[in-house]
Structures are given as C-alpha cells and as structure tokens.
C-alpha cells in the first residue's frame, strides 16, 4: 500500500490555533505566554496537532490584543523572551510539530517607529509608508470608507492636517503597499523569522492589503440587514483588489526560499474568489483559509453542496482546507449546540483538506458572557449599540482543571479575561479521565485520521442517501476506503449503502460505544451520530 509519507506536512497535518493570551500563564501576570505553551506540549502532542499557529506575541500596546504590532522582529516581554521562543520552537520540532506565526501585514500599531516617523511631518521619507489623505472640502474624512470596528476608517492627525486610513482601531494605521519600500521591509521581517526557524505564517487580512488608488466611495449594500454597521457598504474598493495577488506572490517567494514552509492567508471572500489566492501557477498561498463552514446553515445538504462547490472550484493541484472556529468567531459549541459538536468535529477531520482546530473546542468550551463594562474586544467595545459579536466570549482562558483559575494561571493571579464558571466541570483533566467524554472522542478522531492515508490524502466523493439530515462521503486511497456518515439531525435513520458493498466495519462512532462489523443494507444511524467506517 502507498503511504502518504511523501506528502508535505501541511497537507497531512492538523493545524491547532492557540490564542496566545489565553492558553497558559506561566509567570502569573494573568496573560498567557510562551513558557506556558511549552508546558502544555503534551496536550498538543496527544491531540496529534502538527502545525501550531500562535496569535501575535510581538511588542504591542495590545489595543487589538496583539494585532497592533509595534515591532515585527521582537517579542513582547509579557509573552517571554527570545530564549523562551527558541526553547519552544526546538521542543516543538523535537516532537515533529511545526510553528506558524501570525503575521499582521496590513497595519502596524500607531506606536511602531515607522508610523511615528510617518506622522512626524508631511515631508518625512516614511510619510508615504502609510495611507494619508487630505480632508474632504468640509474638513471631514476623505471618503465614506468604514472601519470593521465601527465609525469611519479615517482619523485626522491634527498636527499634520491629514487623515490616515485604518480599517480596524484608530491605533492600527494601514501600510501603503503601493510604495515598494513597504513591501520590502515587510518581506525582510518574514525572512527574520524564517531564518530563526519558524515553519510558516498565517497572514492577517491578506485580502485587504490593497486599496483603490482613486479612493472612490464604496456603494451601499442593498442586502444589508441593519445589524453590523460595517456591512452597510459593499467593500469593492477596500477588499479583494486584483493587485493583492502580487503581494501574495512576493510573500510566497520568500517562504519558498526556505525548505518545507507554509504560507496561509486569511481570506474572507466568496469561494469563487477564494480559490484565486492559490495563485494562477499555485504561486500564492499554500492554504487560503476556507471559512465556508463558519457561515453556512448547519444542515446536511447545505454543507454537502458547499463542499462540492468548493471541491469543484479548486484549481488543479490546489490543496483544500477547512476551518470550524477561531478567535474572531463564536465558539463551536455555542454556535451549533452540544448535540452537533461531535458531528462537526468528525466532518472537519475527515473532509479532504487540512483542518484548523481552535483551542478549547476539544472540551466543548462555550461563549463566556462578559458584562458590558468589562468588554475588552475593541470590535464590541467601540460600538455597543451594534449587533456585533464580542470576541472576548470566545477567547477566555483554557480550562485545564477545576482549580480556581482553571490551571490557566496560578490561583492568586487575575486572568485578563474571566475564566468560564463551568471550568469546574468542563476541563481537560476531567475529560481525560472520563470515558466517552468529548475530549476522549476528539483524541480518538485525530489519531484515526493521522493513521489513515485515506483520511489525510484520499479522494473525496459524496454518497447520496434518501435522508435529508444525512451527509455521507467516501475517502479513497489505494488499498484503503473510508465511509463517513454524519447525521445532522435529531432522528434515527436506517440507510441503504448497498452500492458500496454488503458489510463494513465501524472504526469510530461519535458516541464511542460501538465498533466492528455492520451491514450496509440497513445501516442504523442514531440521532446526531457520526460514523467512520472501513469499507
Ligand atoms: C483579523 C484577526 O483575526 C482579528 O483578530 C484582528 O482584529 C483583525 N484581523 C485586525 O488585525
């Protein structure tokens, strides 16, 4: 039998996102740190995680919790030192794991020396490193562009009398990639980390890097539902501009100058555009993040048709990927309800393509309500009247055990966000010891996947059934076929899979209570159950 061993790690592996601030606080300041992650390596290993993606740990005023970078080639003392970093990287590598950095290329912090110089005077050579415009004739912002975090995307710099662009907080001025020096400076920073040994980057808001050179107003969005003010306009002049691809190619060329590295893009665009971020010659992202599963209605046929649409749109040779959660989205368990979490996990880990897992979803962590006065997320804090998600709710400390700070921080520390009250019953220690727990299930599932060439690399084909609530598919690799059957609904079904054979073996049920031979003539699937079978 062929094995998948010659395939690159970023195709066969599982990515695991750590929200650095919330994984493990080792020094007791209430913020997660690099030594903390090192301490939790066992968890990552037993999860079968391959690519560990860390959210930003660079020097930063933390206005957007690290996505406001004041120095791209240093480490915030709150998170650790270069020694800590090197130790973590070496330990990950020693265990066959990889480290992916979050690279925030679109904007810096207003405290970055580049911006300090740029705002110093209209004539400074770095003025043009950021996007500066004169006020409109009435003194207001130069056009109608909006910030994702509420209000205009422009702030007036009183001293020099011009506005600068920021699509997030006003402390995150945007770089001007029409100036070639900017791209070069950013690529140099990527070289810095690649030389240090990191295995790749997740490029923040890749699709936003270029803006309309004429700064035209954006049109109203006729489909706006009145909830999120940013969606009032159609972002045709600030997102997904064709020139972005040149930047993606330049970043990919840097990554390709080193062996075995990966370039991942944050790409919030429709599928048909998403696939363009692989590059015409597969010379852009290895993996442009596919966020499709985050916004679909959770229905078997809706998910099936999306999977088919995505599979069909992929360029030849492009490798798919799937995301179920991240630090900007409501928690998986809160979004889908506990009954469907296992089905969703089984889907993510058996579809064709590299899965990305969000920390804490393996124990079913839920959105944690935060009192209004305590909200830290600028997206929610800046627009209290709008219906936008408070991302704090999905960023609370990892629940390791039932001790006062859930094992995230020493008991006397004050965590930067509240620890969920349910940590006393929902935590890693407890679920590790509990047969049938969600964590037990997820660990079995990741192990099953990582031992199966069919699940890691095999071809995908949908298998149609009569039941609307069922999504079934096969994954085929020479000598090995797997059938995945997922029940998205609360009813039991008896399914006829005779076209695939008479019998099969159940390898894993979401309920962890059955294995072994079953008939394919009338396969009984229980409510909310998922199965992986060996054909
Ligand atoms: C996307 C990141 O995922 C999000 O957390 C951040 O606020 C924005 N980009 C701005 O960097």
């Amino acid at each position: 039998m062929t094995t998948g061993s010659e395939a690159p790690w970023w195709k066969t592996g599982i990515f695991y996102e750590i929200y650095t601030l919330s994984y493990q606080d080792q020094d007791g300041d209430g913020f997660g740190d690099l030594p903390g992650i090192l301490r939790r390596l066992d968890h990552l290993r037993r999860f079968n995680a391959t690519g560990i993606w860390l959210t930003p740990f660079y020097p930063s005023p933390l206005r957007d919790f690290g996505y406001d970078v004041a120095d791209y080639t240093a480490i915030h003392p709150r998170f650790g030192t270069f020694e800590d970093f090197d130790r973590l990287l070496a330990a990950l590598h020693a265990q066959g794991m990889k480290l992916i950095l979050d690279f925030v290329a679109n904007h810096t912090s207003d405290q970055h020396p580049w911006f300090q110089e740029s705002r110093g005077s209209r004539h400074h050579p770095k003025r043009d490193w950021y996007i500066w415009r004169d006020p409109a004739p009435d003194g207001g912002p130069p056009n109608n562009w909006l910030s994702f975090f509420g209000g205009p995307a422009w702030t007036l710099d009183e001293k020099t009398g011009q506005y600068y662009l920021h699509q997030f907080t006003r402390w995150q001025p945007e770089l001007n990639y029409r100036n070639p020096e900017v791209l070069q400076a950013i690529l140099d920073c990527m070289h810095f980390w690649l030389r240090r040994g990191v295995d790749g980057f997740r490029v923040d808001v890749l699709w936003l890097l270029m803006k309309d050179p004429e700064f035209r107003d954006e049109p109203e969005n006729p489909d706006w539902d009145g909830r999120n003010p940013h969606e009032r306009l159609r972002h045709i002049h600030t997102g997904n501009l064709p020139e972005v691809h040149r930047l993606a190619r330049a970043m990919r060329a840097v990554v390709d100058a080193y062996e075995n590295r990966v370039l991942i893009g944050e790409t919030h665009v429709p599928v048909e555009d998403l696939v363009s971020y692989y590059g015409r010659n597969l010379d852009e992202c290895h993996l442009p993040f596919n966020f499709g599963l985050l916004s679909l209605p959770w229905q078997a046929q809706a998910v099936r048709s999306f999977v088919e649409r995505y599979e069909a749109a992929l360029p030849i040779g492009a490798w798919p990927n799937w995301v179920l959660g991240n630090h900007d989205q409501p928690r998986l368990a809160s979004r889908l309800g506990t009954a469907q979490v296992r089905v969703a996990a089984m889907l993510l880990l058996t579809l064709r393509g590299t899965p990305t897992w969000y920390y804490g979803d393996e124990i079913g962590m839920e959105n944690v309500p935060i009192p209004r006065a305590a909200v830290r997320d600028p997206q929610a804090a800046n627009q209290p009247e709008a219906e936008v998600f408070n991302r704090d709710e999905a960023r609370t400390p990892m629940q390791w055990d039932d001790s006062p700070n859930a094992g995230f921080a020493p008991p006397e520390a004050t965590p930067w966000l509240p620890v969920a009250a349910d940590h006393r019953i929902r935590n890693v220690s407890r679920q590790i010891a509990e047969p049938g727990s969600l964590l037990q299930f997820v660990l079995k599932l990741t192990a099953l996947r990582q031992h199966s060439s069919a699940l890691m690399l095999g071809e995908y084909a949908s298998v149609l059934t009569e039941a609307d609530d069922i999504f079934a598919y096969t994954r085929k690799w020479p000598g090995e076929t797997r059938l995945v059957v997922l029940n998205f609904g609360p009813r039991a079904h008896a399914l006829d899979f005779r076209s695939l054979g008479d019998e099969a073996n159940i390898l894993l049920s979401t309920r962890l209570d059955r294995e072994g031979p079953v008939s394919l003539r009338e396969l009984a699937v229980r409510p909310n159950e998922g199965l992986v079978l060996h054909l």
Side-chain angles (χ1 to χ4, degrees), residues 64 67 107 149 168 202 204-205 266 327-328 391 395:
D64 190 16
Y67 288 89
H107 42 269
F149 293 167
F168 297 93
R202 170 262 189 198
D204 191 64
V205 298
E266 189 195 10
H327 64 284
D328 295 327
R391 301 174 301 170
R395 298 173 171 182

Side-chain angles (χ1 to χ4, degrees), residues 89-357:
L89 184 62
L92 286 168
H93 284 171
Q95 307 213 17
M97 290 187 265
K98 309 283 184 182
L99 186 62
I100 308 301
L101 299 198
D102 213 315
F103 200 82
V104 190
N106 179 62
H107 42 269
T108 67
S109 157
D110 65 340
Q111 299 305 306
H112 196 294
W114 297 343
F115 188 69
Q116 295 288 315
E117 292 175 42
S118 183
R119 86 179 323 173
S121 98
R122 284 197 186 205
H123 308 291
H124 192 282
K126 285 211 173 68
R127 182 65 169 184
D128 187 44
W129 278 40
Y130 291 82
I131 300 175
W132 292 99
R133 304 291 289 166
D134 286 334
D138 67 355
N143 65 21
N144 73 348
W145 294 357
L146 295 173
S147 160
F148 283 85
F149 293 167
W154 298 97
T155 289
L156 180 66
D157 177 56
E158 301 280 352
K159 189 179 143 217
T160 56
Q162 282 189 310
Y163 282 85
Y164 64 87
L165 179 72
H166 57 83
Q167 294 183 78
F168 297 93
T169 69
R170 64 190 165 90
W171 301 284
Q172 290 163 294
E174 306 214 356
L175 287 162
N176 174 19
Y177 281 95
R178 296 192 187 272
N179 179 335
E181 288 173 10
V182 171
L183 178 60
Q184 196 47 54
I186 283 293
L187 298 179
D188 288 346
C189 298
M190 297 178 108
H191 276 293
F192 172 89
W193 289 107
L194 290 163
R195 276 198 301 268
R196 196 129 197 146
V198 305
D199 300 287
F201 301 104
R202 170 262 189 198
V203 180
D204 191 64
V205 298
L206 174 65
W207 86 105
L208 298 181
L209 294 185
M210 280 290 195
K211 296 69 172 150
D212 179 34
E214 294 170 41
F215 295 92
R216 284 170 288 185
D217 275 354
E218 293 192 317
E220 298 286 325
N221 173 6
D223 302 324
W224 186 45
D225 61 9
R227 283 144 70 125
N228 183 344
H230 183 257
E231 285 164 22
R232 182 169 62 74
L233 301 182
R234 289 179 51 227
H235 301 295
I236 58 170
H237 297 315
T238 49
N240 202 23
L241 267 68
E243 298 99 303
V244 173
H245 295 283
R246 178 174 61 80
L247 306 182
R249 279 195 297 278
M251 291 179 178
R252 173 61 177 271
V254 168
V255 166
D256 278 354
Y258 302 76
E259 238 172 283
N260 236 346
R261 315 294 166 101
V262 71
L263 185 69
I264 304 171
E266 189 195 10
T267 38
H268 275 286
V269 293
V271 178
E272 290 67 27
D273 295 325
L274 174 62
V275 294
S276 70
Y277 286 85
Y278 285 99
R280 283 220 183 100
N281 302 307
L282 300 186
D283 52 0
E284 297 182 28
C285 297
H286 295 94
L287 304 172
F289 265 146
N290 165 15
F291 296 115
L293 294 177
L294 293 170
S295 51
L296 283 173
W298 197 252
Q299 291 158 2
Q301 299 319 312
V303 172
R304 178 178 62 79
S305 59
F306 180 80
V307 171
E308 288 170 2
R309 201 170 121 215
Y310 176 61
E311 281 275 352
L314 284 170
I316 291 171
W319 186 249
N321 77 90
W322 297 95
V323 177
L324 255 193
N326 66 32
H327 64 284
D328 295 327
Q329 302 292 332
R331 280 279 180 190
L332 177 64
S334 303
R335 223 168 65 232
L336 303 185
T338 38
Q340 277 292 308
V341 168
R342 294 181 188 213
V343 169
M346 192 173 262
L347 173 78
L348 180 79
L349 288 150
T350 59
L351 279 174
R352 190 176 82 98
T354 306
T356 296
W357 189 268

